[in-house]
Structure formats: structure tokens, C-alpha cells
Amino acid sequence: MFAVIKSGGKQYRVAKDDIITVERLLGEPGDTVALDTVLMLGEDGKAPTVGTPVIDKAAVFAEVVEQSRADKIIVFKKQRRQNHRRKNGHRQLQTVLRITEVSPTGAKPKAAAKKAAPKKEADKAEAKPAKKEAAPAKKAESAEKPAAKKPAAKKPAAKKADADAKPAAKKAPAKKAAPKKAADDAAKDKE
């Protein structure tokens, strides 16, 4: 069975297990979306059913494979003899869909797709503990390093105290420098 659907202002002829690219639809990869705008239903050996403009209750169910962007197109506008040119690029947002079922009655597909999704999550859950095992080893290494860095941590505190003292020292000699020069000049004059 096939169907002609409308999505994003365009029409697509789809059948079960087809992969199509349409303009952006809401949903994350793995979600199931229902396309309700079915314009025509057909089956091999039978006359197609054409909607006026759509077929009531008919629906096409699809799984979101990925959300992506199309190739860049260049939009170039020019007005001759006016010294006017504009060049822009555009990448259309798009969704890749895998058709799971064409339903003339609008009945939702079986939960087989939902059973497959928890298996993927279980695989991810198994993969995550493997990463967590590596993480405690890094924590053990990092626990050793701070012990070596503790004296270094004290040095910046001392530097901060020195930094606070230096500006005061710089200000005082700058003001006292002029009297010292006068005193030195007076000492030289006495000699």
C-alpha cells in the first residue's frame, strides 16, 4: 500500500519502510510522528482512493531518523546599473523520516517500534557504566595530585599578600622618592 502525503507544502509518494526528507517537523530522533494530510491511498491491483482534498481518518506514521540541515544554497540579488548586489546563503532545516505504516483507518502502529527503543536505551545504559568505571580511576589519580598541589595552593595566597603589599610599597616610595632626591642633592652639595 502506498500513500501521497503533503508536508511542508510539498507532496511525497510513500510506502512502508521508505526514507524521506521533509521540511523540519517537531520531534527528536526515535520519536514517532503522524502525518494526517493524506491526499491519496493506493494498493497494487486496485483503483486508488483520492481525497477531496484529503482522505478522512487516513494517516501515515513515521519514525524520526534525524534532524539536520540541507546543503547551502546561494541567494544572489542584483539590480543592474544601480550598483546593488546582495549575496546570502541559506541552509533549510529538515527532518529525515522512515515510514513505519500507512493506515487507511488512522490506527496507530503496533508497539514494536516502542519495544526497540527501550533496547537502545538499555544498550546505552550498559555503555554508560563502562565509562563510569574509567571515571573512578581518574578520580583516584586526581585525588593523588591535589596532595602534591597543596603546597602550591599556599603559594598563591602568599603571592596575594605580596601583591597587596607591593602596591602600598610602590605608592610610598613614589611619594617619598622626591624628598630622597632632595636629600641626596643636599648631601652632594655639602660635599
Side-chain angles (χ1 to χ4, degrees), residues 1-190:
M1 178 172 272
F2 71 91
V4 175
I5 60 170
K6 184 177 179 181
S7 177
K10 299 173 188 68
Q11 297 178 7
Y12 303 91
R13 181 187 187 276
V14 297
K16 186 176 180 180
D17 296 327
D18 283 352
I19 295 177
I20 60 171
T21 303
V22 298
E23 287 192 22
R24 178 62 59 99
L25 296 175
L26 295 177
E28 296 181 9
D31 290 350
T32 301
V33 295
L35 304 167
D36 297 332
T37 312
V38 179
L39 304 174
M40 184 172 78
L41 286 173
E43 199 169 347
D44 293 333
K46 294 184 180 179
T49 305
V50 181
T52 55
V54 296
I55 299 173
D56 294 334
K57 299 182 184 177
V60 174
F61 297 95
E63 177 188 356
V64 177
V65 177
E66 73 173 321
Q67 301 281 7
S68 62
R69 295 170 74 190
D71 294 335
K72 180 182 273 192
I73 60 167
I74 303 298
V75 180
F76 184 75
K77 297 180 181 180
K78 178 180 178 181
Q79 292 181 0
R80 61 183 186 162
R81 296 186 302 273
Q82 303 300 318
N83 193 24
H84 178 81
R85 296 185 184 104
R86 296 291 180 267
K87 182 178 179 182
N88 290 317
H90 175 71
R91 294 186 68 187
Q92 182 65 37
L93 300 175
Q94 63 187 17
T95 303
V96 179
L97 299 174
R98 177 181 292 116
I99 305 301
T100 56
E101 186 175 345
V102 176
S103 174
T105 60
K108 292 186 178 180
K110 297 176 184 176
K114 291 182 181 177
K115 290 180 183 177
K119 289 181 184 177
K120 290 179 184 177
E121 292 175 5
D123 293 338
K124 290 179 184 177
E126 291 174 5
K128 288 181 182 178
K131 290 180 183 176
K132 288 181 181 177
E133 291 172 7
K138 289 180 182 178
K139 288 181 181 177
E141 292 172 7
S142 62
E144 294 172 6
K145 290 180 182 178
K149 291 183 179 180
K150 284 182 182 176
K154 292 179 181 177
K155 288 180 182 177
K159 286 182 180 178
K160 288 181 181 177
D162 293 339
D164 292 339
K166 286 181 182 177
K170 287 181 181 178
K171 290 179 182 176
K175 292 179 182 177
K176 294 179 183 178
K180 284 185 181 179
K181 287 182 182 178
D184 291 340
D185 292 337
K188 286 181 183 179
D189 291 338
K190 289 181 183 178

